[in-house]
Amino acid sequence: MAKMWAGRTSGIIDSVADDFNSSIHFDYKMYKQDIKGSMAHALMLGAQNIITKKEAETLIDGLQSILDDLESGALKFNMKCEDIHMFVEEELTSRLGDVGKKLHTARSRNDQVALDIRMYLRDETNEIIELTKDVISAITEKAEEHRSTILPGYTHLQRAQPITFGHHLMAYAMMLMRDIDRFEDCLKRMNISPIGCCALAGTTYNTDRVFEAKQLGFSGISMNSLDGVSDRDFSVELMSDIAILMMHLSRFSEEIILWSSWEFKFIELSDAYTTGSSIMPQKKNPDMAELVRGKTGRVYGDLMGLLTTLKGLPLAYNKDMQEDKESVFDAVETVKMCLKVFAPMVATMNVCTDNMKKAAQEGFINATDLADYLVKKGLPFRSAYKISGQIVSKCINDGKVLETLSLCEYKSFSPLFDEDLYKEIDLKTCVEKRISEGGTGLASVEKQIKAVKEFLNQ
Ligand code: ARG
């Protein structure tokens, strides 16, 4: 069958080329945005007397009936159509006859597709924000429960200083809050309407772009028609923001995987978020966390793909740009799935507080506090640091820990040591003393929790 654009050519396209060229198998997802966009366009055409008000009404009713039928299942997508825009227009024309053919006045598929994708991604971005909030809320609840649970804090994956699990968790809440901030910022630039830019140069009709943009909830219109139809920087930006969010989820996943190992046993995931092995009966594998970590690479690939597609394109629209959708859809779907599994996985994980405590007692993680003790007694920090290091070395040789070294032994390193040192190196004291802003001390963790809760409730 000849295409709607038959005229200059026969509109008969080779069937393999037709499959290659068509995008309906993935852009059908934008049907709602396409129809809503067309309704606003018809309304504008009527308001500007480019078509009659009656014709505008007929078009709008026809579009509404297509939307209703698609949603009820009475109408199926015709996968023989080139894309979603052609499908809706063809269906409309078959329902309304000649009036249907008036819809495409003063627009082009180039501004139509740019409009649809902005509207589609705008909705998806808002959903990603809500799902990210669910993860933050699960993290914050766990953090509150464990605001005094002690575990080792690590640098270089070596035990470093004692911290609370609440503090550790809240670090991720902070990262995810910034991710939301980035999505909200991205929305500002995404929410600009390109419709009315037409094919590339604007139009000779007396259109009202601002009216049409307002109907569709946009905050403004693109100021340059070439730019409006040919950039996809908002998709690149969204995918960059998704990639950063995935990077954060991936780091968290890595810790969940480590913590679930027998070597750590800091947490036990709920059965609902683990799998067994087909051969090893003892296994309980953290597959969900591993998949989040794995899918992060895939999302980075989506971002790189679109950046590469766009990098050499001359203005304005080029068919290469049809390649923008699958990557951004994939990144969006992937991150949404990851967020949906992440929130309950965190909420249901069991924290093995005794194992955390035991690990904290074994790694000399109070050595900094020992040095600080000597500093408070008047020794310069560098000298205190050296003495503490020598004490740690002695403990390692003698198979002891700082808590089990006698006062007499301490005094052989410095006369400044006294009975009160044991209280100073007690892990609970070490944590409680870290009262600096943003530190692991209780007041700071509670302040973080409060700030995050306020953010979630606003
Ligand atoms: N399916 C096309 C896309 O996704 C729509 C725009 C087609 N425009 C054109 N001039 N062929 O990019």
Side-chain angles (χ1 to χ4, degrees):
M1 200 176 86
K3 296 285 181 193
M4 271 185 114
W5 39 256
R8 160 72 175 80
T9 71
S10 65
I12 309 280
I13 178 169
D14 170 79
S15 71
V16 174
D18 198 15
D19 285 347
F20 183 63
N21 188 50
S22 71
S23 55
I24 190 156
H25 55 286
F26 51 85
D27 65 23
Y28 75 90
K29 279 180 195 284
M30 307 191 302
Y31 73 91
K32 205 183 293 169
Q33 290 75 16
D34 194 75
I35 293 173
K36 295 267 182 214
S38 289
M39 285 166 133
H41 189 63
L43 192 67
M44 184 281 290
L45 291 176
Q48 294 296 102
N49 296 318
I50 298 169
I51 59 175
T52 67
K53 299 231 166 18
K54 180 91 201 57
E55 286 168 334
E57 253 172 55
T58 310
L59 288 172
I60 293 168
D61 291 346
L63 287 161
Q64 184 63 52
S65 72
I66 294 176
L67 183 59
D68 293 343
D69 291 351
L70 282 173
E71 307 228 290
S72 72
L75 175 64
K76 301 264 176 282
F77 294 106
N78 179 1
M79 292 297 167
K80 291 254 168 305
C81 287
E82 188 174 323
D83 54 29
I84 185 62
H85 327 293
M86 286 306 199
F87 167 74
V88 173
E89 200 183 326
E90 276 176 31
E91 180 63 29
L92 190 69
T93 307
S94 84
R95 290 184 184 202
L96 304 181
D98 277 353
V99 187
K101 296 182 186 165
K102 295 202 170 188
L103 176 66
H104 211 52
T105 316
R107 79 170 181 186
S108 150
R109 266 190 301 163
N110 296 351
D111 55 348
Q112 195 181 352
V113 69
L115 177 85
D116 291 3
I117 191 147
R118 281 177 188 259
M119 285 170 66
Y120 183 85
L121 293 180
R122 187 173 69 177
D123 293 345
E124 294 294 315
T125 306
N126 281 316
E127 206 183 321
I128 294 170
I129 290 174
E130 288 314 308
L131 292 170
T132 308
K133 284 188 180 167
D134 293 344
V135 177
I136 298 178
S137 150
I139 291 173
T140 309
E141 263 173 49
K142 268 278 160 256
E144 196 162 24
E145 201 184 313
H146 291 283
R147 58 192 185 278
S148 301
T149 302
I150 293 174
L151 83 165
Y154 295 81
T155 61
H156 311 269
L157 205 55
Q158 302 285 323
R159 290 168 187 166
Q161 290 182 357
I163 56 170
T164 64
F165 192 47
H167 191 53
H168 194 116
L169 288 174
M170 289 313 287
Y172 286 110
M174 299 296 156
M175 296 175 214
L176 299 187
M177 272 204 316
R178 285 196 298 279
D179 289 330
I180 290 183
D181 201 40
R182 265 184 284 272
F183 286 125
E184 280 169 352
D185 202 50
C186 172
L187 272 173
K188 286 187 215 151
R189 283 171 291 279
M190 186 186 288
N191 202 23
I192 298 294
S193 168
I195 199 74
C197 290
C198 304
L200 74 163
T203 181
T204 53
Y205 293 98
N206 174 32
T207 52
D208 187 343
R209 290 189 59 202
V210 174
F211 171 88
E212 202 168 333
K214 276 202 186 130
Q215 295 299 314
L216 298 169
F218 284 97
S219 59
I221 58 168
S222 48
M223 281 186 71
N224 179 296
S225 60
L226 295 168
D227 174 47
V229 289
S230 68
D231 206 356
R232 296 290 185 267
D233 56 355
F234 55 90
S235 294
V236 172
E237 198 176 340
L238 175 61
M239 277 200 275
S240 311
D241 296 348
I242 294 176
I244 296 175
L245 168 58
M246 287 297 295
M247 178 270 291
H248 288 148
L249 294 179
S250 183
R251 291 185 74 174
F252 197 176
S253 297
E254 170 64 13
E255 298 214 278
I256 288 174
I257 296 159
L258 275 177
W259 293 339
S260 306
S261 68
W262 282 106
E263 284 69 15
F264 274 84
K265 264 284 163 268
F266 282 2
I267 60 159
E268 185 166 351
L269 291 173
S270 151
D271 289 359
Y273 299 97
T274 56
T275 63
S277 155
S278 58
I279 169 170
M280 297 166 281
Q282 84 284 12
K283 292 297 282 289
K284 180 169 179 181
N285 296 327
D287 286 31
M288 310 308 140
E290 290 170 78
L291 269 175
V292 171
R293 190 177 58 182
K295 285 178 189 289
T296 302
R298 166 185 178 144
V299 168
Y300 291 178
D302 290 331
L303 168 64
M304 286 306 141
L306 183 58
L307 276 171
T308 312
T309 299
L310 294 176
K311 79 180 250 301
L313 297 184
L315 296 183
Y317 179 84
N318 301 268
K319 190 71 175 215
D320 313 46
M321 294 169 76
Q322 180 165 288
E323 287 293 305
D324 62 347
K325 282 171 258 342
E326 280 164 297
S327 53
V328 77
F329 290 170
D330 183 70
V332 161
E333 291 309 318
T334 304
V335 76
K336 283 197 320 189
M337 270 192 304
C338 291
L339 291 165
K340 278 182 197 161
V341 82
F342 221 93
M345 179 175 71
V346 170
T348 56
M349 76 187 184
N350 185 32
V351 180
C352 310
T353 53
D354 288 347
N355 293 344
M356 286 185 171
K357 185 135 190 238
K358 204 160 150 269
Q361 278 160 344
E362 284 166 357
F364 297 102
I365 64 175
N366 41 6
T368 314
D369 299 86
L370 188 66
D372 287 343
Y373 171 87
L374 290 174
V375 170
K376 278 174 203 146
K377 297 259 167 160
L379 216 58
F381 181 76
R382 269 291 153 240
S383 316
Y385 170 92
K386 189 155 188 204
I387 292 174
S388 305
Q390 286 162 347
I391 296 174
V392 168
S393 172
K394 178 183 168 51
C395 285
I396 294 171
N397 283 335
D398 298 356
K400 290 186 174 172
V401 289
L402 294 179
E403 289 86 340
T404 54
L405 211 63
S406 72
L407 184 57
C408 186
E409 287 170 304
Y410 271 113
K411 278 194 184 295
S412 72
F413 284 94
S414 165
L416 293 173
F417 280 120
D418 227 325
E419 196 59 52
D420 59 348
L421 84 90
Y422 293 103
K423 172 96 183 64
E424 281 300 291
I425 60 167
D426 179 76
L427 294 182
K428 217 161 156 276
T429 322
C430 296
V431 166
E432 276 167 8
K433 272 186 328 193
R434 281 178 168 70
I435 51 166
S436 57
E437 285 279 337
T440 193
L442 185 61
S444 157
V445 175
E446 281 179 342
K447 195 170 168 185
Q448 297 172 48
I449 292 173
K450 188 163 168 264
V452 172
K453 282 190 172 170
E454 274 166 19
F455 169 83
L456 292 175
N457 292 331
Q458 81 200 351

